[in-house]
Amino acid sequence: MVEQVKKCSKLQLYISCRNLSNHLDYGGLDPFIEVYEKVNDENWDKLGTTEVVQGSLNPAFVTSFSLDYFFEENQMIKFMVYGSEDSENEATEYNLVGTCSCPIGQLVGTQGQTLALSIINESKKHSGYLIARIEENSSNNDEVVLQFQGSNIEDVSSFFSPFEPFFYLYRVLPNSEKLRIYMSEYSHGTDPLWKPFTKKIQDLCHDDFDMKLLLEIYDYKTIGDHEYIGSTEFTLQKIIENPKQKLELINPRKKSKSKYVNSGFIYIVTCTIKKIPSFFDYIQGGCQISLEVAIDFTGSNKHPSSTSSLHYIDPEGKKLNHYQKALQAVSEILLHYDSDKKVPMYGFGGKVNDVISHCFPLNRDDENPYAVGVEGMMEMYKRTFDYVGLSGPTLFADLLKKVILDVERQNVSQNNQQYTILLILTDGEIHDMEETVKWIVRGSASALSIVIVGIGNETFTKMTILDADKEPLVDLDGKKMVRDIVQFVPFRDLDNSPYRLVKEVLDEIPREIVNFFRIKNIVPNPPVQPPQFTFSQDNLF
């Protein structure tokens, strides 16, 4: 299976403004901006301050800001726009033009990774527009495929042992120390052809194409005391520019001898850079992430009118139950990457019109089972209890069949890049394990990830099996899952914390998305261009 792991992306933030209001008493506006990132419910860390742009209501700032982007976190950034009094970027309450904010995820998920935000002053009035744009810094995931061949390598073997040359490859550090990064297999003869190998460029040269690399040739000895033959230095940039050059092997210990010339040559057989796309590349190219939700309405949740019920709804709306907490936390992040914010919502294990159903739309509309936005999802969940009764047992197969067949009909391709995440909230063990495994195995070949959150105090033993971290799922026909698509976590293990929940269940999603497209040989499409803003209300977020 192709694997790609990356927890954090490095982003660069660029800022400009349009139509700023000048409410200051001392002439033209000389704007500058302070940028902050939220670190907890009450505190913001200052990322930095732009330069002052003199006399402009439409400044484009040169100063940019580096951001660490985590898909699984709802990271907020805030912009405070000021007018300078003396060409210095000193902020006071008297020269504040206004503020605006947005989640980093919203910036990543929007068209062209560019947002126009309304700047609001202390009187809650519009004071202009801030345009925020982000780009990904080098993702450092690219790889290089290298293959070396020796020519006329000095044979230092004895009569009793064959000549079996191999090499070590080192990165030469700034202090001249050597960091070994690869050891070849041992070959045979004076013109050995070693096997090609692949290294991440980050591992090979720390993304510095001009960093010195050292290749040392040895004759392999079974007792481990390998005999040094010679070495050569080069850089990745050097062999990319001239891959047909030959590198001379020199043994410094023999260099002073009058008849010594060299210990042979090394030829570059292969030097190929492989572009490894990142999650950001796919999103930038227009890939859409869709969320679907399924909620457990089995009787073990207890009747929602009881305060001990897992489905109990606080009539004052001040306290969310655990279903509401999980639903809100996950959807707030994933909907940043869904352009229409429409989410199909289903229930299972409930009784609708006195008939037990294991897959029914929460709004009773089979043709249009969608809630719009986070607020719409939370409201649809609450209204469901007006006409759905709790029943059972807990069965997943009907639900999985519905979702997986819908995903297969999307016909994901190079020109139609979509990915679906199914969020299942459940309080109990499933009773159709074999059918569930069958559909998960089938779904593992599709553009789908399944996030299961265990609500309540059940043991969830079978859910752990579905997670397949230790053992891949195999159906009754012997078919093995193509890739691991299920993430399961009991909410109680995270102290029922929404913040910890999303970090636990969503941090693997970017990797799963990239791996799916790489398996299908689907590369990112060219970046989608940002919209042409006219600064009407329709453009504001």
Side-chain angles (χ1 to χ4, degrees):
M1 183 186 301
V2 180
E3 291 293 337
Q4 188 261 355
V5 179
K6 188 168 180 64
K7 297 294 184 183
C8 166
S9 292
K10 300 287 186 179
L11 305 182
Q12 204 69 21
L13 171 67
Y14 301 90
I15 310 168
S16 60
C17 294
R18 295 292 183 272
N19 301 342
L20 291 178
S21 297
N22 184 8
H23 66 287
L24 304 179
D25 298 329
Y26 41 81
L29 186 70
D30 297 338
F32 66 94
I33 298 176
E34 292 184 342
V35 182
Y36 294 83
E37 182 174 1
K38 197 169 190 177
V39 291
N40 54 44
D41 289 341
E42 298 179 354
N43 299 310
W44 297 77
D45 271 354
K46 186 175 179 180
L47 298 179
T49 306
T50 69
E51 78 279 11
V52 175
V53 177
Q54 294 185 339
S56 177
L57 300 180
N58 302 288
F61 298 97
V62 173
T63 306
S64 62
F65 302 88
S66 296
L67 303 173
D68 288 339
Y69 162 60
F70 296 89
F71 173 84
E72 70 277 9
E73 295 184 16
N74 203 16
Q75 301 167 273
M76 292 294 297
I77 48 175
K78 178 173 67 175
F79 306 92
M80 302 189 72
V81 184
Y82 294 90
S84 173
E85 299 180 13
D86 52 8
S87 298
E88 299 291 334
N89 52 6
E90 181 177 348
T92 71
E93 60 180 303
Y94 303 107
N95 62 352
L96 177 66
V97 176
T99 65
C100 54
S101 62
C102 70
I104 295 177
Q106 185 181 7
L107 257 174
V108 174
T110 199
Q111 179 183 337
Q113 287 65 57
T114 305
L115 278 177
L117 304 166
S118 179
I119 301 168
I120 304 299
N121 65 21
E122 291 181 312
S123 301
K124 308 299 182 184
K125 293 183 179 180
H126 171 71
S127 296
Y129 304 91
L130 182 142
I131 302 171
R133 176 175 62 87
I134 53 170
E135 296 177 358
E136 186 179 36
N137 293 334
S138 174
S139 62
N140 296 324
N141 282 329
D142 293 352
E143 297 174 344
V144 59
V145 181
L146 293 170
Q147 185 177 22
F148 298 106
Q149 181 169 19
S151 174
N152 199 28
I153 302 296
E154 181 182 0
D155 187 345
V156 295
S157 62
S158 67
F159 177 79
F160 300 101
S161 62
F163 183 45
E164 297 177 322
F166 73 97
F167 68 84
Y168 292 121
L169 184 61
Y170 299 88
R171 181 200 305 167
V172 181
L173 303 178
N175 62 1
S176 298
E177 289 187 13
K178 301 184 299 184
L179 179 65
R180 186 180 296 174
I181 53 180
Y182 182 74
M183 175 184 174
S184 76
E185 78 285 3
Y186 56 87
S187 188
H188 303 278
T190 59
D191 299 312
L193 176 64
W194 291 284
K195 294 178 181 178
F197 63 97
T198 301
K199 297 291 292 184
K200 286 187 178 296
I201 292 178
Q202 178 71 15
D203 295 336
L204 181 71
C205 60
H206 209 57
D207 215 30
D208 179 1
F209 282 48
D210 291 317
M211 177 174 282
K212 278 185 182 180
L213 301 174
L214 175 68
L215 187 145
E216 292 183 343
I217 306 292
Y218 288 82
D219 181 23
Y220 180 81
K221 304 296 184 185
T222 55
I223 59 174
D225 188 18
H226 311 306
E227 185 169 352
Y228 175 73
I229 297 173
S231 60
T232 185
E233 285 188 348
F234 59 95
T235 67
L236 183 58
Q237 186 64 39
K238 182 178 178 181
I239 61 175
I240 288 174
E241 292 174 352
N242 185 12
K244 295 184 178 180
Q245 66 182 300
K246 62 181 181 179
L247 306 172
E248 188 177 28
L249 287 173
I250 298 296
N251 186 334
R253 291 172 238 168
K254 297 182 179 180
K255 197 173 182 180
S256 59
K257 296 181 179 179
S258 58
K259 294 184 179 181
Y260 179 77
V261 179
N262 58 52
S263 296
F265 296 92
I266 296 293
Y267 288 92
I268 314 300
V269 179
T270 302
C271 179
T272 304
I273 303 295
K274 292 171 59 178
K275 172 67 178 175
I276 306 300
S278 68
F279 169 74
F280 188 92
D281 292 330
Y282 285 101
I283 297 300
Q284 191 177 39
C287 176
Q288 288 288 301
I289 299 177
S290 300
L291 173 64
E292 300 198 19
V293 173
I295 297 175
D296 187 328
F297 288 90
T298 56
S300 53
N301 286 283
K302 297 184 180 179
H303 196 279
S305 63
S306 169
T307 56
S308 64
S309 170
L310 295 173
H311 281 307
Y312 177 72
I313 306 292
D314 181 2
E316 296 183 3
K318 295 181 179 179
K319 185 177 181 180
L320 301 180
N321 67 39
H322 293 164
Y323 280 96
Q324 290 173 303
K325 286 182 179 180
L327 180 62
Q328 183 180 61
V330 174
S331 58
E332 278 182 343
I333 289 178
L334 293 182
L335 288 191
H336 292 321
Y337 308 91
D338 187 343
S339 58
D340 63 12
K341 317 299 183 193
K342 295 170 65 175
V343 180
M345 296 188 69
Y346 302 101
F348 57 92
K351 188 177 288 188
V352 183
N353 298 325
D354 291 325
V355 177
I356 298 173
S357 174
H358 300 291
C359 182
F360 57 90
L362 296 194
N363 63 359
R364 296 180 291 181
D365 188 343
D366 289 311
E367 300 300 319
N368 185 30
Y370 304 100
V372 180
V374 178
E375 291 184 5
M377 295 169 67
M378 301 294 283
E379 186 62 31
M380 183 179 288
Y381 166 71
K382 288 194 295 185
R383 290 200 310 265
T384 302
F385 297 101
D386 294 339
Y387 50 85
V388 173
L390 304 188
S391 186
T394 304
L395 306 177
F396 279 3
D398 287 356
L399 168 70
L400 293 174
K401 178 180 179 181
K402 162 70 177 167
V403 173
I404 290 168
L405 291 178
D406 285 347
V407 171
E408 290 176 350
R409 281 191 285 267
Q410 291 175 351
N411 293 319
V412 172
S413 65
Q414 180 63 53
N415 296 320
N416 179 31
Q417 295 185 15
Q418 303 180 55
Y419 198 89
T420 299
I421 298 170
L422 171 62
L423 171 65
I424 301 177
L425 306 178
T426 182
D427 85 317
E429 289 281 34
I430 59 172
H431 297 274
D432 58 346
M433 189 69 170
E434 292 179 356
E435 278 293 298
T436 293
V437 169
K438 168 189 166 183
W439 282 104
I440 291 175
V441 169
R442 177 165 171 171
S444 69
S446 297
L448 173 69
S449 289
I450 301 171
V451 173
I452 304 175
V453 179
I455 306 292
N457 296 314
E458 180 59 72
T459 57
F460 299 114
T461 303
K462 292 181 180 178
M463 299 300 179
T464 304
I465 296 173
L466 296 182
D467 194 278
D469 281 343
K470 295 181 179 179
E471 192 71 31
L473 297 180
V474 180
D475 66 19
L476 290 179
D477 295 326
K479 189 173 182 180
K480 187 178 179 180
M481 65 193 315
V482 176
R483 58 195 183 93
D484 181 8
I485 64 170
V486 178
Q487 297 291 327
F488 167 72
V489 62
F491 203 11
R492 65 164 184 271
D493 287 0
L494 306 172
D495 299 323
N496 297 308
S497 163
Y499 174 76
R500 291 181 61 191
L501 173 67
V502 292
K503 286 181 69 68
E504 182 73 20
V505 299
L506 296 184
D507 74 327
E508 295 294 329
I509 296 298
R511 177 188 64 83
E512 291 179 16
I513 291 173
V514 171
N515 286 342
F516 170 77
F517 286 123
R518 289 185 66 191
I519 289 169
K520 297 294 183 181
N521 293 316
I522 296 174
V523 299
N525 285 321
V528 177
Q529 295 303 305
Q532 296 295 316
F533 296 115
T534 58
F535 303 109
S536 67
Q537 288 298 118
D538 291 340
N539 293 123
L540 301 182
F541 296 86

